[in-house]
Amino acid sequence: SYDRGATVAGVVGVGRLITGMDRGLQGMCVNERRHLIVPPHLGYGSIGVAGLIPPDATLYFDVVMLDIWNKNDKLQITTLSKPERCNRTVENSDFVRYHYNGTLLDGTPFDSSYSKDSTYDTYVGTGWLIKGMDQGLLGMCAGEKRSIIIPPFLAYGEKGYRTVIPPQASLVFSVLLVDFHNPKDGVSLEHLEVPESCKRRAVTGDFVRYHYNGTLMDGTLFDSSYSRNHTYNTYIGKGYIIPGMDQGLQGVCMGERRRVVVPPHLAYGENGTGNKIPGSAVLIFDVHIIDFHNPADSVEIETVYRPEGCNVTTRDRDFVRYHYNCSLLDGTKLFSSHDYEKPQEVTLGTNKVIEGLNSGLLNMCTGERRVLIIPPHLGHGESGARGVPGSAVLRFEVELISMEEGVPEGYLFIWHGDPPASLYEQMDLNKDGEIPADEFSTFIKTQVAEGKGRLMPSSDPEKVIADMFRNQDRNQDGKITSEELKLKSDEDQEKIHEEL
C-alpha cells in the first residue's frame, strides 16, 4: 500500500478479505503493528493470483492499523475541562468561535486554527459544518474544552477531503470554545452589587462616569479604565458608545457594580476593532458606576437638621461662616473646612464659591445642617479642578455657623435711613475743607456703631472702608473733596442720564 500511496479500507469479517487477513485484523488497536503469516489455505490457496502470488504460497503481511469505525458508531465526546460558571450552552443556530486541532485517528494532524492565529467562526446546526461537528459543539460552555471523535459517515465519508483527509477517515478534534452568541441575543445583565439606597436610576440623556474592565468570553482583558486611572465619562442612550453599553447602563444606580454581556451585533460586529477585539466577539464589561447626572439637574438639598424658631435665613449678599466636608459620590474625600483653624467665610452671590454651593447655602438658618448634591455644571464642570475630576458630582455636608446681613450688589455701605443732608460737612470732622482717610474711617465707623448704617460684611472691615475711600478719592490724592464725594445712588442716576 505504501507503493500506491493510499491506505487500504475494508470491512472486517464479512468475507470481503482473504480469511487470514479477516482473522489477523481482529482485535487490533489503532496504531498497533502486527506481523501476519497467512498459510495458503487461508490466503489464495492452490490457485494463487496470476502473475503475482504463486499457488500454495504462504503470505507475510506487516500491518499498521490507522483507523477503525463501525456503521453503528456515534460521536465520542470527552469533556477535558469546563468552567465553573456556565450560564448558557451552545444550541442550534448559535454563532460560535472556537479553536481546534484536527488529527486523524492515528494522530496524524491535518488542520489547526492555532496555526492560522484565528478562531474558526461559524453557525451551528445550519449545515455549514460537517454533521459530527454540528453535533459535537452542542451543549458546550464558553471556555470548555472537548475531544470529539467523528466517524467518517459524520465527516467526509468515502471521498475524504482534498489530500489532507483520506477516504473513510475518522476525525479527532480537540476543541476550545472561545465564545458564542445568537443573532437574536440582546444584552445580558448581571447585577453584582446594588446599593441598598438607590434614589434614582440612570436614564437616556444622563451623563455617567464609570470604571470598567472589558474582557472577551475566555477572560482575555482587552481594555480597562482602571489601567488609565480615569473613569470613562459619557452620555447614555445617545449613540456615543456601542449600542450594547447604551442599553446595558440604563437603570444603573450610583455605586452599582454590574456585568454587561454584549453580543457582537450590539458591539463591533463581524469586523471587530483594533488588534484586541476580534470579529464577532462577545464582550463582557464589569462596570462600577461612580456617579451620573443630567444636564438639567439642579442642586439636590437634604436638610439634616434645622433649629426650631428659625425666622432669619441667608440671602444673596449675606456674609456667612460655615463648615463643610466635600467628597465624591463614591465616598472619596476631597476637602474639609475642619482641616483649617476657622470656618469657611464667603459673601453669597459674589461668585467666590461654585454656583451649586452658593445655591445650597441660601435660605439656611444659623446652626442648620444640610447635605448638598451638586452636578458638575453647577460645580467644577467638565474640566474639574485641582483634586476634583472632570464632570464629577460633588457631595457637600454643610453647617451654617453664623451669618451677617449683607448689602445690595455694588454697595460697600448702606444707610438704614436717609443719609445726612449735609453729609460732606459732617464727614469733615476738623472742618478744614477736605477729608483724609482717617477722618473718613472714623465717620463710617461711628455710623455703624450708632446703627445708622452698615458695611458690607467681611472678615476685614478696615479693607472695606479703605475700598470705600479709594472709590471716593477720584484723583487718588489721598483726600476727598466736596466735588468728589457722591452717593452711589447719585452715581447710578448719573449713568442713566449718560445712557439716555
Side-chain angles (χ1 to χ4, degrees):
S1 67
Y2 293 99
D3 294 340
R4 294 192 296 271
T7 56
V8 176
V11 181
V12 175
V14 294
R16 296 181 183 178
L17 302 173
I18 60 174
T19 305
M21 186 64 80
D22 250 351
R23 296 179 182 178
L25 295 176
Q26 298 283 340
M28 284 190 75
C29 299
V30 173
N31 285 330
E32 181 178 343
R33 295 176 181 271
R34 280 186 179 179
H35 183 65
L36 306 180
I37 303 174
V38 181
H41 64 280
L42 296 179
Y44 293 94
S46 59
I47 300 174
V49 177
L52 185 62
I53 299 175
D56 297 318
T58 298
L59 307 180
Y60 293 78
F61 290 92
D62 286 310
V63 179
V64 57
M65 182 64 67
L66 301 178
D67 197 343
I68 313 168
W69 61 274
N70 188 284
K71 63 181 180 180
N72 295 320
D73 283 350
K74 298 179 180 179
L75 288 180
Q76 297 180 52
I77 298 175
T78 304
T79 299
L80 304 177
S81 66
K82 193 172 184 176
E84 292 183 6
R85 290 171 53 90
C86 184
N87 296 329
R88 176 181 160 191
T89 61
V90 174
E91 300 175 2
N92 280 324
S93 80
D94 283 344
F95 187 88
V96 295
R97 297 196 312 116
Y98 62 93
H99 271 301
Y100 69 90
N101 286 317
T103 66
L104 303 179
L105 208 57
D106 68 346
T108 303
F110 63 81
D111 196 14
S112 173
S113 64
Y114 296 98
S115 64
K116 303 180 183 70
D117 198 28
S118 177
T119 54
Y120 191 81
D121 307 342
T122 189
Y123 286 94
V124 174
T126 57
W128 290 20
L129 290 166
I130 57 175
K131 292 181 180 179
M133 280 299 280
D134 257 346
Q135 298 174 25
L137 293 170
L138 293 176
M140 287 191 77
C141 303
E144 182 176 342
K145 291 183 179 180
R146 277 185 180 180
S147 172
I148 305 172
I149 301 177
I150 304 175
F153 53 84
L154 294 177
Y156 293 98
E158 296 179 1
K159 296 181 179 180
Y161 183 74
R162 296 181 179 172
T163 60
V164 293
I165 298 177
Q168 303 290 12
S170 300
L171 306 181
V172 181
F173 287 92
S174 176
V175 176
L176 168 62
L177 185 63
V178 175
D179 74 13
F180 68 97
H181 73 280
N182 195 283
K184 297 179 181 179
D185 284 349
V187 172
S188 173
L189 301 179
E190 185 177 346
H191 304 279
L192 304 177
E193 182 182 325
V194 181
E196 291 184 8
S197 174
C198 183
K199 296 180 180 179
R200 172 178 163 189
R201 295 178 180 272
V203 296
T204 293
D206 283 344
F207 189 87
V208 183
R209 296 195 316 123
Y210 61 95
H211 271 302
Y212 70 91
N213 284 320
T215 62
L216 305 179
M217 282 189 81
D218 65 356
T220 301
L221 183 72
F222 63 80
D223 194 17
S224 173
S225 64
Y226 295 99
S227 65
R228 295 187 290 274
N229 197 29
H230 193 284
T231 55
Y232 191 82
N233 308 333
T234 187
Y235 288 95
I236 62 169
K238 302 181 75 171
Y240 292 163
I241 49 180
I242 58 174
M245 283 299 281
D246 254 348
Q247 297 176 26
L249 292 172
Q250 295 284 338
V252 292
C253 299
M254 292 185 190
E256 180 177 346
R257 295 180 186 271
R258 176 181 286 193
R259 175 167 292 157
V260 184
V261 182
V262 183
H265 51 275
L266 295 176
Y268 295 100
E270 296 180 6
N271 298 323
T273 185
N275 57 4
K276 292 187 176 181
I277 299 179
S280 300
V282 177
L283 306 183
I284 300 176
F285 292 91
D286 285 323
V287 299
H288 178 205
I289 306 301
I290 303 302
D291 64 31
F292 61 86
H293 74 280
N294 193 283
D297 283 350
S298 57
V299 176
E300 180 184 330
I301 299 175
E302 178 188 352
T303 300
V304 178
Y305 169 75
R306 188 178 178 93
E308 294 182 4
C310 172
N311 298 319
V312 180
T313 60
T314 53
R315 299 177 297 176
D316 257 343
R317 310 299 301 173
D318 284 352
F319 182 75
V320 298
R321 293 179 177 86
Y322 62 98
H323 271 303
Y324 73 90
N325 292 313
C326 175
S327 64
L328 301 179
L329 291 193
D330 66 354
T332 302
K333 298 190 183 303
L334 297 179
F335 315 107
S336 175
S337 62
H338 297 282
D339 294 334
Y340 303 95
E341 294 181 359
K342 298 188 297 183
Q344 187 81 1
E345 299 176 340
V346 71
T347 299
L348 297 176
T350 57
N351 298 318
K352 299 299 183 183
V353 293
I354 57 175
E355 185 177 347
L357 180 56
N358 192 92
S359 300
L361 289 169
L362 292 174
N363 302 313
M364 286 189 78
C365 303
T366 300
E368 184 175 342
R369 296 194 300 274
R370 288 178 173 178
V371 173
L372 312 176
I373 306 298
I374 301 177
H377 52 275
L378 298 176
H380 293 284
E382 294 181 11
S383 302
R386 187 174 181 181
V388 180
S391 299
V393 179
L394 302 179
R395 183 181 190 274
F396 277 86
E397 298 172 350
V398 295
E399 178 183 5
L400 188 65
I401 304 302
S402 66
M403 57 180 288
E404 297 178 35
E405 187 178 3
V407 298
E409 185 175 359
Y411 287 77
L412 297 174
F413 173 90
I414 61 169
W415 299 96
H416 289 157
D418 292 328
S422 53
L423 178 59
Y424 188 84
E425 286 75 9
Q426 291 195 32
M427 199 175 285
D428 182 11
L429 301 180
N430 62 5
K431 311 303 181 188
D432 63 353
E434 57 186 30
I435 304 171
D438 58 340
E439 278 188 347
F440 182 86
S441 177
T442 300
F443 176 80
I444 295 297
K445 289 177 180 178
T446 300
Q447 306 308 303
V448 172
E450 294 177 354
K452 296 178 179 179
R454 70 174 184 271
L455 286 168
M456 181 185 79
S458 169
S459 57
D460 188 1
E462 296 291 347
K463 183 179 183 304
V464 176
I465 295 174
D467 288 342
M468 291 174 62
F469 180 81
R470 188 163 48 252
N471 291 343
Q472 296 295 329
D473 183 12
R474 316 285 173 173
N475 60 8
Q476 303 299 303
D477 63 352
K479 56 183 182 293
I480 300 173
T481 63
S482 57
E483 291 79 16
E484 289 176 317
L485 184 66
K486 292 180 182 178
L487 294 173
K488 188 172 189 312
S489 56
D490 296 333
E491 290 180 341
D492 292 342
Q493 193 63 32
E494 288 179 4
K495 289 180 181 179
I496 292 173
H497 286 300
E498 288 172 2
E499 290 172 0
L500 292 174

